[in-house]
Amino acid sequence: MPPKVPLAPPPPWSRMVSAGVLCALLGLALVFGQAALRSQQQTSARRVGALAVADAAVAAAAEVDSGKSAKLFESIEREHQDIDYAFAVREGGVDEFGISRGSEVVHAKPPAVDAARLLDHSKRVSTDGHRALEIKQPLAVQHLFGEMADGRLLVAVPVKDSSGNGVSAVAGAVLRKTTEDSPPLWIVAVLAGLAVLLAGVGRKLPLAPRVVDTASICAVVLVGWLLAPALPSAGPAGVAVLGGSRMVAHAAVEAGGGNAGPWLLGLLLLAAGAIGWLLDDSARVFAALRKDPVPYFYVGPAILATGLLIFVPFAVGVGLSFVDGEGHFVGIDHYIEVLTSVVDPNSSTHFFRTLALTTLWTAINVGFHVGFGLGLALVLNRPHLRARAFYRLLLIVPWAVPSYITALTWKWLFNTQFGPINAMLAALGHDRIDWLGNSPLSNFGANLATNVWLGFPFMMVISLGALQSIPSELYEAADIDGATTWQKFKHVTLPLLKPALFPAIILGTIWTFNAFNVIYLVSGGGPDHKTDILITEAYYTFTVLRRTGLAAAYSVLIFAILLLYTLITNRKTRATESVST
Amino acid sequence: MAGSGHGSSGVAPTGWQAMLPHFLLIPVSVITLYPVLYVIKLALSGTSGATASAWPWPDHPSLDAFAKVALRTDAHGTWLFGRQLLNSLIVSGATTVLGIVLACTAAYAFARFEFPGRRAGLLGFLATQMFPGILTLIPLYVLIQKLGLLDSMLGLILVYSTTAIPFCTWTLKGYFDTLPKEIEESAIIDGATRLQIFVRIILPLSAPAIAVTALFSFMAAWNEFVLAYTFLSQEAAYTLPVQIRNYVGDKDVQWSLFAASSLIAAVPVMALFYAVEKHLVGGLTAGGVKG
């Protein structure tokens, strides 16, 4: 093994300077990110407004036969300051002699523009709009947006004909260009200065340099994040939203859903944390990379892949927990809400009840897994056991069956009317039990039975492997010393099982704590969330309540609990000590 | 009841003492097999549904449910079951190959090189096992959407294989740790490069561990349904778990179709599991047992 790369620790002032420089870079990313974000928000707002205008244009175009449409178009243009003009292009249709009349401009300013020229403003709008008119079919999308070369925004909506199946016209509007602005660049200098200051002051604190660096760089990013939107700017030229139509509501949801704010904050915080933590190490990594890059070729692809598809989404998820549905930064409000109030307004279960249940669930499950697993392994490991291999093959069946199939199968076994468990009870003269009904206890029992069945083979296989690796000489020596069976188990078997069993128990605990499939598919958390564990509650918050930020806060808390558990048990059992070998 | 390892000497017990373990093992085996037998009963009960009895054999065996599941087509005449089976096979196969290649190289570096960032990398991989899936679900959805990979197999393959990397890396690293370094040292003296050692010596020696981790990657991809359910919206793009889950959805519950399709989906993965089964112990626990 090549020797460690000897590197002197960098002097304190160099860390302060690096912190300043890196924060300046982060500040730049922040400014440009904020600018991009604002322009995206403005575009979204403009699009929602534009659709409202297009909606009005559609209504105006529909009145063309009654002669009111010109007045309606004029009022649209009067009401909306930021539109250039509204227009409608009508398909002429086929007259009674079967002669096509071609496209007809109902309204446009300047009035001399023909239909083809009008729609040619934007290639996509023109192609799709013309096609819609030609084949008289509604578009795959309900509205068309096009950025015109001069910065104006074109929106067009196909107008359905009276039958509702075809298209009779394309109506829309052209919106003027708006000015976009970004936070001023001096914020970068302020952030860098703040970083140097914090890193310098932090040096005096009785904390590890890493912690100080990480905390101060993260703090600087947060300050920048909070400060940037408050900085003077012209602000987006707002488009009055008429509202009322389903299409506009849909677009508004789309505009809100595509918000990049959480992404940016998450990425920046991840970068800040990583930079702070790795301020020392990065210097070492770069030195090592120059000296011997081979190890990095081997780990590089895996690190890159997990970084992009696990760590970045994770950081973004953490960022989401600080942001509400409309993209506003809400600080730790979601965490406070998770911890202090009931998540589902129709239910009485709160976080700490669910946490207690999750802990109980995990403890009972892992207890049974280890108990059954180890017990069966000891029996299977008996000398001279016949059909050992056969039993082993049968007993690991639950591990081989896909867990979602297991869960759904057990749901059927517990079915009140047709389930075999109730059929057995009936055969014994007992009343049927509504297992997955109103009793939290029977629901919990059903979940538990499923998960115990599912999980004991893993522990059994691990125990069996560890038992077989214990040299028989140890037992022979114990026999000579006159040890009883129990003494042999306690003083020989158990201590030698520990190295294999502890990592398995930690892993099993994490898996059971997040045993989503079983709870979600068997009891579904019912009745009234009383058998929900934390992870299913978070999923409910996300999918049913549609509260992304709250679900993210929930998930971050789950992660924190698991991390704490692992750190504590790891310190006690040294289960992952192979890291440092 | 703690016994010595079964390689030890001793007199074979006779009579009821030899029978004693079987009194325990037979009932436990029956309980273990019962749910599986019951799925078979459900699947063979035809589409009309099973009767309520505890006996795990259908009264009137019929293959109707299998026929209905396997012959499903959509409005365009696409053979849905075939498509979905193929989707599952391609996604799981590609996930396994990609995940194992990346995990093997990473595990080798973690096991054999000392380099700055090694500890952070290992601990970071460990931490991913604690990331709740829901936290990454939303950003992943947006990411896959932006890449235009919704309803595509490539999107699932990318996500599944990266999710598999940390666990596979840890398992393989544990195994690589147990291989004696002397083999490599003598190979270096013979003039072999690191890459040659890795490909020609380490990988063949680690075949059992690689088989086990490959099995787990395959199983994870084959069985996953939350992400697949989120990313896929067209029936022809579904993987089998999404389809199976839909048979027992909220509106429409068809237990016999669920059972039949479950059996079809479970057979390949169980076959793989039993093919690799004898390596489970060595492949999984080598690192841990070493202590």
Tab-separated table of all heavy atoms in Angstrom, chain A residues 296 305 310 313 381 391-393 396-397 399 402 408-409 412 420 453 462 465 535 548 555 578-579 581, chain B residues 2 6 22 26 32 34 38-39 105 116 118 132 134 138-139 162 170 173 216 223 255 274 277 281 285:
chain	number	residue	atom	x	y	z
A	296	TYR	N	-8.113	7.653	-7.866
A	296	TYR	CA	-9.260	8.492	-8.225
A	296	TYR	C	-9.884	8.043	-9.538
A	296	TYR	O	-11.073	8.257	-9.768
A	296	TYR	CB	-8.837	9.965	-8.274
A	296	TYR	CG	-8.380	10.450	-6.920
A	296	TYR	CD1	-7.033	10.544	-6.604
A	296	TYR	CD2	-9.311	10.767	-5.928
A	296	TYR	CE1	-6.609	10.955	-5.356
A	296	TYR	CE2	-8.905	11.178	-4.675
A	296	TYR	CZ	-7.548	11.267	-4.392
A	296	TYR	OH	-7.157	11.661	-3.150
A	305	ALA	N	-21.351	9.403	-10.263
A	305	ALA	CA	-22.730	8.932	-10.456
A	305	ALA	C	-23.563	9.156	-9.197
A	305	ALA	O	-24.665	9.715	-9.255
A	305	ALA	CB	-22.728	7.450	-10.839
A	310	ILE	N	-27.656	10.930	-6.366
A	310	ILE	CA	-28.079	10.708	-4.981
A	310	ILE	C	-27.837	11.952	-4.139
A	310	ILE	O	-28.745	12.473	-3.497
A	310	ILE	CB	-27.357	9.491	-4.356
A	310	ILE	CG1	-27.685	8.223	-5.151
A	310	ILE	CG2	-27.816	9.313	-2.908
A	310	ILE	CD1	-27.059	6.969	-4.604
A	313	PRO	N	-29.727	15.341	-5.573
A	313	PRO	CA	-31.156	15.304	-5.234
A	313	PRO	C	-31.399	15.392	-3.728
A	313	PRO	O	-32.356	16.024	-3.288
A	313	PRO	CB	-31.617	13.951	-5.777
A	313	PRO	CG	-30.680	13.637	-6.864
A	313	PRO	CD	-29.360	14.207	-6.436
A	381	ASN	N	-27.415	-25.532	12.527
A	381	ASN	CA	-25.971	-25.749	12.640
A	381	ASN	C	-25.649	-26.945	13.528
A	381	ASN	O	-24.494	-27.243	13.772
A	381	ASN	CB	-25.311	-24.475	13.187
A	381	ASN	CG	-23.840	-24.426	12.841
A	381	ASN	OD1	-23.459	-24.783	11.735
A	381	ASN	ND2	-23.014	-24.021	13.786
A	391	TYR	N	-33.884	-27.830	4.489
A	391	TYR	CA	-34.502	-26.828	5.370
A	391	TYR	C	-34.008	-25.428	5.034
A	391	TYR	O	-34.748	-24.462	5.013
A	391	TYR	CB	-34.175	-27.132	6.838
A	391	TYR	CG	-34.992	-28.263	7.411
A	391	TYR	CD1	-34.368	-29.360	8.004
A	391	TYR	CD2	-36.383	-28.236	7.375
A	391	TYR	CE1	-35.102	-30.393	8.547
A	391	TYR	CE2	-37.122	-29.268	7.908
A	391	TYR	CZ	-36.484	-30.350	8.491
A	391	TYR	OH	-37.221	-31.362	9.014
A	392	ARG	N	-32.705	-25.346	4.828
A	392	ARG	CA	-32.111	-24.046	4.533
A	392	ARG	C	-32.753	-23.427	3.293
A	392	ARG	O	-33.133	-22.257	3.298
A	392	ARG	CB	-30.610	-24.228	4.302
A	392	ARG	CG	-29.765	-23.061	4.687
A	392	ARG	CD	-28.312	-23.392	4.416
A	392	ARG	NE	-27.928	-22.801	3.143
A	392	ARG	CZ	-27.379	-21.611	3.044
A	392	ARG	NH1	-27.141	-20.911	4.124
A	392	ARG	NH2	-27.073	-21.111	1.879
A	393	LEU	N	-32.915	-24.257	2.274
A	393	LEU	CA	-33.516	-23.750	1.036
A	393	LEU	C	-34.956	-23.291	1.269
A	393	LEU	O	-35.382	-22.268	0.751
A	393	LEU	CB	-33.497	-24.840	-0.044
A	393	LEU	CG	-32.132	-25.138	-0.649
A	393	LEU	CD1	-32.260	-26.193	-1.737
A	393	LEU	CD2	-31.519	-23.868	-1.226
A	396	ILE	N	-35.227	-19.858	3.400
A	396	ILE	CA	-34.858	-18.546	2.837
A	396	ILE	C	-35.814	-18.105	1.745
A	396	ILE	O	-35.612	-17.069	1.124
A	396	ILE	CB	-33.396	-18.498	2.331
A	396	ILE	CG1	-33.163	-19.567	1.289
A	396	ILE	CG2	-32.420	-18.609	3.480
A	396	ILE	CD1	-31.785	-19.446	0.652
A	397	VAL	N	-36.886	-18.868	1.541
A	397	VAL	CA	-37.880	-18.466	0.530
A	397	VAL	C	-38.346	-17.009	0.704
A	397	VAL	O	-38.377	-16.249	-0.260
A	397	VAL	CB	-39.081	-19.440	0.525
A	397	VAL	CG1	-40.283	-18.831	-0.171
A	397	VAL	CG2	-38.691	-20.731	-0.170
A	399	TRP	N	-36.932	-14.427	1.655
A	399	TRP	CA	-35.955	-13.447	1.190
A	399	TRP	C	-36.002	-13.333	-0.334
A	399	TRP	O	-35.794	-12.269	-0.914
A	399	TRP	CB	-34.564	-13.876	1.664
A	399	TRP	CG	-33.510	-12.835	1.513
A	399	TRP	CD1	-33.643	-11.584	0.965
A	399	TRP	CD2	-32.148	-12.954	1.924
A	399	TRP	NE1	-32.458	-10.923	1.010
A	399	TRP	CE2	-31.516	-11.727	1.594
A	399	TRP	CE3	-31.391	-13.951	2.538
A	399	TRP	CZ2	-30.169	-11.497	1.859
A	399	TRP	CZ3	-30.057	-13.715	2.806
A	399	TRP	CH2	-29.454	-12.496	2.467
A	402	PRO	N	-40.137	-11.141	-3.953
A	402	PRO	CA	-40.151	-9.673	-3.962
A	402	PRO	C	-41.019	-9.119	-2.837
A	402	PRO	O	-42.118	-9.620	-2.598
A	402	PRO	CB	-40.762	-9.345	-5.330
A	402	PRO	CG	-40.436	-10.519	-6.184
A	402	PRO	CD	-40.424	-11.692	-5.282
A	408	LEU	N	-48.439	-7.624	-0.388
A	408	LEU	CA	-49.799	-7.727	-0.925
A	408	LEU	C	-50.410	-9.099	-0.633
A	408	LEU	O	-51.609	-9.215	-0.392
A	408	LEU	CB	-49.788	-7.448	-2.436
A	408	LEU	CG	-49.529	-5.980	-2.794
A	408	LEU	CD1	-49.235	-5.818	-4.268
A	408	LEU	CD2	-50.739	-5.132	-2.410
A	409	THR	N	-49.546	-10.139	-0.636
A	409	THR	CA	-50.047	-11.476	-0.312
A	409	THR	C	-50.566	-11.524	1.120
A	409	THR	O	-51.647	-12.037	1.388
A	409	THR	CB	-48.926	-12.513	-0.486
A	409	THR	OG1	-48.437	-12.423	-1.811
A	409	THR	CG2	-49.437	-13.903	-0.223
A	412	TRP	N	-53.822	-10.083	1.597
A	412	TRP	CA	-54.872	-11.018	1.230
A	412	TRP	C	-55.090	-12.059	2.337
A	412	TRP	O	-56.223	-12.395	2.666
A	412	TRP	CB	-54.527	-11.701	-0.096
A	412	TRP	CG	-55.443	-12.833	-0.417
A	412	TRP	CD1	-55.187	-14.163	-0.283
A	412	TRP	CD2	-56.788	-12.734	-0.887
A	412	TRP	NE1	-56.284	-14.898	-0.653
A	412	TRP	CE2	-57.287	-14.048	-1.018
A	412	TRP	CE3	-57.633	-11.668	-1.203
A	412	TRP	CZ2	-58.569	-14.327	-1.461
A	412	TRP	CZ3	-58.920	-11.955	-1.642
A	412	TRP	CH2	-59.381	-13.270	-1.762
A	420	PRO	N	-57.454	-16.642	4.389
A	420	PRO	CA	-57.320	-17.955	5.031
A	420	PRO	C	-57.110	-17.857	6.545
A	420	PRO	O	-57.451	-18.790	7.255
A	420	PRO	CB	-56.090	-18.552	4.354
A	420	PRO	CG	-55.366	-17.409	3.757
A	420	PRO	CD	-56.382	-16.373	3.433
A	453	TRP	N	-41.994	-12.231	8.861
A	453	TRP	CA	-41.861	-13.305	7.866
A	453	TRP	C	-40.833	-12.917	6.801
A	453	TRP	O	-40.016	-13.711	6.370
A	453	TRP	CB	-43.233	-13.539	7.219
A	453	TRP	CG	-43.291	-14.709	6.289
A	453	TRP	CD1	-43.487	-16.010	6.637
A	453	TRP	CD2	-43.156	-14.695	4.871
A	453	TRP	NE1	-43.486	-16.798	5.516
A	453	TRP	CE2	-43.287	-16.033	4.422
A	453	TRP	CE3	-42.940	-13.691	3.930
A	453	TRP	CZ2	-43.215	-16.379	3.071
A	453	TRP	CZ3	-42.870	-14.048	2.589
A	453	TRP	CH2	-43.003	-15.377	2.167
A	462	ILE	N	-26.997	-14.725	7.836
A	462	ILE	CA	-25.818	-14.078	8.419
A	462	ILE	C	-25.318	-14.880	9.621
A	462	ILE	O	-24.119	-15.156	9.750
A	462	ILE	CB	-26.167	-12.632	8.860
A	462	ILE	CG1	-26.598	-11.788	7.667
A	462	ILE	CG2	-25.012	-12.000	9.610
A	462	ILE	CD1	-25.487	-11.251	6.833
A	465	GLY	N	-23.679	-18.183	8.619
A	465	GLY	CA	-22.338	-17.974	8.089
A	465	GLY	C	-21.332	-17.754	9.202
A	465	GLY	O	-20.240	-18.328	9.208
A	535	ILE	N	-41.859	7.118	7.625
A	535	ILE	CA	-41.642	7.209	6.181
A	535	ILE	C	-42.963	7.189	5.419
A	535	ILE	O	-43.128	7.916	4.433
A	535	ILE	CB	-40.690	6.081	5.707
A	535	ILE	CG1	-40.213	6.322	4.279
A	535	ILE	CG2	-41.326	4.720	5.778
A	535	ILE	CD1	-38.984	7.157	4.199
A	548	THR	N	-45.068	19.453	-0.502
A	548	THR	CA	-43.713	19.004	-0.780
A	548	THR	C	-42.732	19.427	0.301
A	548	THR	O	-41.933	18.627	0.785
A	548	THR	CB	-43.268	19.574	-2.132
A	548	THR	OG1	-44.301	19.343	-3.065
A	548	THR	CG2	-42.005	18.923	-2.590
A	555	SER	N	-38.788	14.112	5.955
A	555	SER	CA	-37.739	13.189	5.536
A	555	SER	C	-36.388	13.559	6.128
A	555	SER	O	-35.607	12.683	6.501
A	555	SER	CB	-37.644	13.166	4.012
A	555	SER	OG	-38.897	12.981	3.444
A	578	SER	N	-13.946	-1.064	9.826
A	578	SER	CA	-13.129	-1.384	8.659
A	578	SER	C	-12.893	-0.144	7.786
A	578	SER	O	-12.055	-0.161	6.900
A	578	SER	CB	-13.784	-2.494	7.838
A	578	SER	OG	-15.087	-2.130	7.467
A	579	VAL	N	-13.638	0.956	8.059
A	579	VAL	CA	-13.397	2.201	7.335
A	579	VAL	C	-11.965	2.658	7.551
A	579	VAL	O	-11.294	3.130	6.646
A	579	VAL	CB	-14.365	3.303	7.828
A	579	VAL	CG1	-14.027	4.621	7.171
A	579	VAL	CG2	-15.782	2.927	7.524
A	581	THR	N	-9.342	0.930	8.648
A	581	THR	CA	-8.213	0.002	8.529
A	581	THR	C	-7.460	0.246	7.241
A	581	THR	O	-8.028	0.644	6.255
A	581	THR	CB	-8.680	-1.472	8.536
A	581	THR	OG1	-9.659	-1.646	7.521
A	581	THR	CG2	-9.217	-1.852	9.876
B	2	ALA	N	-27.229	-24.613	22.129
B	2	ALA	CA	-26.143	-24.165	21.254
B	2	ALA	C	-25.235	-25.332	20.943
B	2	ALA	O	-24.775	-26.011	21.839
B	2	ALA	CB	-25.339	-23.073	21.943
B	6	HIS	N	-20.866	-27.759	12.737
B	6	HIS	CA	-21.228	-29.102	12.325
B	6	HIS	C	-20.075	-29.873	11.722
B	6	HIS	O	-20.241	-30.964	11.218
B	6	HIS	CB	-22.462	-29.104	11.434
B	6	HIS	CG	-22.266	-28.344	10.154
B	6	HIS	ND1	-21.580	-28.851	9.098
B	6	HIS	CD2	-22.675	-27.110	9.798
B	6	HIS	CE1	-21.571	-27.972	8.113
B	6	HIS	NE2	-22.214	-26.904	8.528
B	22	HIS	N	-36.344	-31.566	14.143
B	22	HIS	CA	-37.354	-31.618	13.097
B	22	HIS	C	-38.717	-31.197	13.597
B	22	HIS	O	-39.515	-30.643	12.858
B	22	HIS	CB	-37.413	-33.023	12.493
B	22	HIS	CG	-36.121	-33.422	11.861
B	22	HIS	ND1	-35.764	-33.018	10.605
B	22	HIS	CD2	-35.074	-34.145	12.335
B	22	HIS	CE1	-34.564	-33.494	10.317
B	22	HIS	NE2	-34.118	-34.166	11.361
B	26	ILE	N	-39.964	-28.485	10.989
B	26	ILE	CA	-41.063	-28.790	10.070
B	26	ILE	C	-42.183	-27.754	10.177
B	26	ILE	O	-42.579	-27.172	9.163
B	26	ILE	CB	-41.557	-30.240	10.261
B	26	ILE	CG1	-40.477	-31.196	9.748
B	26	ILE	CG2	-42.878	-30.478	9.510
B	26	ILE	CD1	-40.734	-32.642	10.057
B	32	THR	N	-43.483	-20.890	6.828
B	32	THR	CA	-42.738	-20.100	5.854
B	32	THR	C	-43.305	-20.279	4.439
B	32	THR	O	-43.401	-19.325	3.678
B	32	THR	CB	-41.258	-20.524	5.865
B	32	THR	OG1	-40.784	-20.441	7.200
B	32	THR	CG2	-40.432	-19.635	4.975
B	34	TYR	N	-46.375	-21.349	3.632
B	34	TYR	CA	-47.817	-21.202	3.480
B	34	TYR	C	-48.220	-20.009	2.594
B	34	TYR	O	-48.999	-20.192	1.649
B	34	TYR	CB	-48.471	-21.126	4.855
B	34	TYR	CG	-49.969	-21.104	4.790
B	34	TYR	CD1	-50.681	-22.280	4.591
B	34	TYR	CD2	-50.667	-19.913	4.900
B	34	TYR	CE1	-52.053	-22.273	4.505
B	34	TYR	CE2	-52.044	-19.893	4.814
B	34	TYR	CZ	-52.735	-21.078	4.621
B	34	TYR	OH	-54.093	-21.049	4.525
B	38	TYR	N	-50.263	-20.172	-0.908
B	38	TYR	CA	-51.545	-19.512	-1.060
B	38	TYR	C	-51.595	-18.641	-2.308
B	38	TYR	O	-52.635	-18.535	-2.949
B	38	TYR	CB	-51.879	-18.688	0.193
B	38	TYR	CG	-53.356	-18.758	0.460
B	38	TYR	CD1	-53.895	-19.795	1.204
B	38	TYR	CD2	-54.219	-17.831	-0.105
B	38	TYR	CE1	-55.247	-19.904	1.400
B	38	TYR	CE2	-55.582	-17.935	0.088
B	38	TYR	CZ	-56.089	-18.974	0.836
B	38	TYR	OH	-57.431	-19.073	1.003
B	39	VAL	N	-50.460	-18.019	-2.660
B	39	VAL	CA	-50.417	-17.249	-3.913
B	39	VAL	C	-50.651	-18.193	-5.087
B	39	VAL	O	-51.390	-17.873	-6.021
B	39	VAL	CB	-49.061	-16.521	-4.065
B	39	VAL	CG1	-48.993	-15.812	-5.398
B	39	VAL	CG2	-48.872	-15.530	-2.948
B	105	THR	N	-15.019	-1.219	-9.247
B	105	THR	CA	-13.833	-0.365	-9.320
B	105	THR	C	-13.708	0.479	-8.058
B	105	THR	O	-12.622	0.588	-7.480
B	105	THR	CB	-13.909	0.552	-10.556
B	105	THR	OG1	-15.183	1.167	-10.573
B	105	THR	CG2	-13.715	-0.224	-11.823
B	116	PRO	N	-6.286	10.476	0.135
B	116	PRO	CA	-7.109	11.478	0.817
B	116	PRO	C	-8.529	11.462	0.242
B	116	PRO	O	-8.699	11.415	-0.966
B	116	PRO	CB	-6.419	12.802	0.486
B	116	PRO	CG	-5.030	12.440	0.096
B	116	PRO	CD	-5.115	11.084	-0.536
B	118	ARG	N	-10.663	9.034	1.071
B	118	ARG	CA	-11.158	7.659	1.108
B	118	ARG	C	-12.198	7.479	2.206
B	118	ARG	O	-13.288	6.949	1.986
B	118	ARG	CB	-9.970	6.732	1.362
B	118	ARG	CG	-10.340	5.294	1.621
B	118	ARG	CD	-9.069	4.457	1.787
B	118	ARG	NE	-9.393	3.095	2.144
B	118	ARG	CZ	-9.610	2.700	3.379
B	118	ARG	NH1	-9.544	3.564	4.377
B	118	ARG	NH2	-9.913	1.443	3.635
B	132	PRO	N	-33.898	8.984	3.210
B	132	PRO	CA	-35.249	8.504	2.918
B	132	PRO	C	-35.563	8.735	1.441
B	132	PRO	O	-35.292	9.806	0.896
B	132	PRO	CB	-36.141	9.392	3.794
B	132	PRO	CG	-35.216	10.057	4.760
B	132	PRO	CD	-33.886	10.146	4.081
B	134	ILE	N	-38.176	9.342	-0.125
B	134	ILE	CA	-39.118	10.389	-0.499
B	134	ILE	C	-38.427	11.730	-0.684
B	134	ILE	O	-38.823	12.549	-1.509
B	134	ILE	CB	-40.220	10.470	0.564
B	134	ILE	CG1	-41.113	9.249	0.422
B	134	ILE	CG2	-41.053	11.725	0.427
B	134	ILE	CD1	-41.727	8.791	1.651
B	138	ILE	N	-38.705	13.727	-5.261
B	138	ILE	CA	-39.173	14.930	-5.959
B	138	ILE	C	-38.071	15.499	-6.856
B	138	ILE	O	-38.289	15.698	-8.050
B	138	ILE	CB	-39.650	15.990	-4.948
B	138	ILE	CG1	-40.607	15.357	-3.943
B	138	ILE	CG2	-40.277	17.167	-5.645
B	138	ILE	CD1	-40.597	16.000	-2.582
B	139	PRO	N	-36.871	15.761	-6.295
B	139	PRO	CA	-35.809	16.283	-7.168
B	139	PRO	C	-35.461	15.329	-8.297
B	139	PRO	O	-35.222	15.778	-9.423
B	139	PRO	CB	-34.621	16.447	-6.217
B	139	PRO	CG	-35.212	16.555	-4.873
B	139	PRO	CD	-36.430	15.698	-4.891
B	162	THR	N	-27.360	3.834	-9.798
B	162	THR	CA	-26.637	4.657	-8.829
B	162	THR	C	-27.103	4.363	-7.413
B	162	THR	O	-26.307	4.386	-6.485
B	162	THR	CB	-26.806	6.158	-9.103
B	162	THR	OG1	-28.135	6.408	-9.490
B	162	THR	CG2	-25.861	6.627	-10.170
B	170	TRP	N	-19.855	-1.318	-0.555
B	170	TRP	CA	-19.513	-1.747	0.807
B	170	TRP	C	-19.346	-3.260	0.887
B	170	TRP	O	-18.407	-3.768	1.489
B	170	TRP	CB	-20.585	-1.282	1.799
B	170	TRP	CG	-20.214	0.015	2.444
B	170	TRP	CD1	-20.540	1.258	2.014
B	170	TRP	CD2	-19.427	0.189	3.621
B	170	TRP	NE1	-20.015	2.195	2.844
B	170	TRP	CE2	-19.324	1.573	3.844
B	170	TRP	CE3	-18.803	-0.688	4.504
B	170	TRP	CZ2	-18.623	2.110	4.911
B	170	TRP	CZ3	-18.099	-0.150	5.576
B	170	TRP	CH2	-18.012	1.224	5.767
B	173	LYS	N	-16.187	-4.242	-1.023
B	173	LYS	CA	-14.986	-3.811	-0.303
B	173	LYS	C	-14.695	-4.776	0.837
B	173	LYS	O	-13.541	-5.168	1.053
B	173	LYS	CB	-15.175	-2.394	0.247
B	173	LYS	CG	-13.939	-1.876	0.936
B	173	LYS	CD	-14.260	-0.985	2.121
B	173	LYS	CE	-13.067	-0.753	2.983
B	173	LYS	NZ	-13.080	-1.541	4.214
B	216	PHE	N	-28.351	-8.805	-5.752
B	216	PHE	CA	-29.099	-7.786	-5.011
B	216	PHE	C	-29.452	-6.594	-5.902
B	216	PHE	O	-30.553	-6.053	-5.799
B	216	PHE	CB	-28.320	-7.339	-3.778
B	216	PHE	CG	-28.352	-8.365	-2.686
B	216	PHE	CD1	-27.238	-8.645	-1.932
B	216	PHE	CD2	-29.520	-9.066	-2.440
B	216	PHE	CE1	-27.276	-9.615	-0.939
B	216	PHE	CE2	-29.571	-10.036	-1.457
B	216	PHE	CZ	-28.436	-10.306	-0.705
B	223	ASN	N	-37.755	-5.416	-8.396
B	223	ASN	CA	-38.858	-5.303	-7.442
B	223	ASN	C	-39.299	-3.880	-7.162
B	223	ASN	O	-40.261	-3.663	-6.432
B	223	ASN	CB	-38.468	-5.933	-6.098
B	223	ASN	CG	-38.140	-7.396	-6.243
B	223	ASN	OD1	-38.537	-8.022	-7.210
B	223	ASN	ND2	-37.408	-7.937	-5.290
B	255	TRP	N	-57.560	-10.008	-7.332
B	255	TRP	CA	-56.534	-10.773	-6.620
B	255	TRP	C	-55.982	-11.911	-7.456
B	255	TRP	O	-54.802	-12.228	-7.372
B	255	TRP	CB	-57.100	-11.296	-5.296
B	255	TRP	CG	-57.178	-10.222	-4.269
B	255	TRP	CD1	-58.299	-9.568	-3.861
B	255	TRP	CD2	-56.089	-9.652	-3.531
B	255	TRP	NE1	-57.975	-8.620	-2.914
B	255	TRP	CE2	-56.633	-8.654	-2.699
B	255	TRP	CE3	-54.724	-9.888	-3.501
B	255	TRP	CZ2	-55.861	-7.890	-1.839
B	255	TRP	CZ3	-53.941	-9.127	-2.642
B	255	TRP	CH2	-54.509	-8.144	-1.827
B	274	TYR	N	-31.749	-18.590	-6.010
B	274	TYR	CA	-31.283	-19.916	-5.626
B	274	TYR	C	-30.027	-20.328	-6.382
B	274	TYR	O	-29.239	-21.129	-5.895
B	274	TYR	CB	-32.407	-20.944	-5.791
B	274	TYR	CG	-33.334	-20.889	-4.602
B	274	TYR	CD1	-34.557	-20.241	-4.656
B	274	TYR	CD2	-32.930	-21.447	-3.386
B	274	TYR	CE1	-35.378	-20.160	-3.549
B	274	TYR	CE2	-33.742	-21.361	-2.268
B	274	TYR	CZ	-34.969	-20.728	-2.355
B	274	TYR	OH	-35.752	-20.640	-1.249
B	277	GLU	N	-27.486	-18.713	-4.247
B	277	GLU	CA	-27.745	-18.889	-2.820
B	277	GLU	C	-26.542	-19.390	-2.033
B	277	GLU	O	-26.248	-18.894	-0.946
B	277	GLU	CB	-28.942	-19.828	-2.664
B	277	GLU	CG	-29.320	-20.199	-1.272
B	277	GLU	CD	-28.650	-21.481	-0.825
B	277	GLU	OE1	-28.262	-22.298	-1.694
B	277	GLU	OE2	-28.485	-21.642	0.382
B	281	VAL	N	-23.655	-16.465	2.067
B	281	VAL	CA	-22.935	-16.279	3.316
B	281	VAL	C	-21.562	-15.689	3.066
B	281	VAL	O	-21.219	-14.623	3.582
B	281	VAL	CB	-22.817	-17.619	4.059
B	281	VAL	CG1	-21.926	-17.463	5.259
B	281	VAL	CG2	-24.195	-18.096	4.465
B	285	THR	N	-20.880	-11.707	4.112
B	285	THR	CA	-20.363	-11.471	5.455
B	285	THR	C	-18.855	-11.542	5.551
B	285	THR	O	-18.306	-11.366	6.619
B	285	THR	CB	-20.943	-12.489	6.445
B	285	THR	OG1	-20.593	-13.790	5.996
B	285	THR	CG2	-22.438	-12.363	6.542
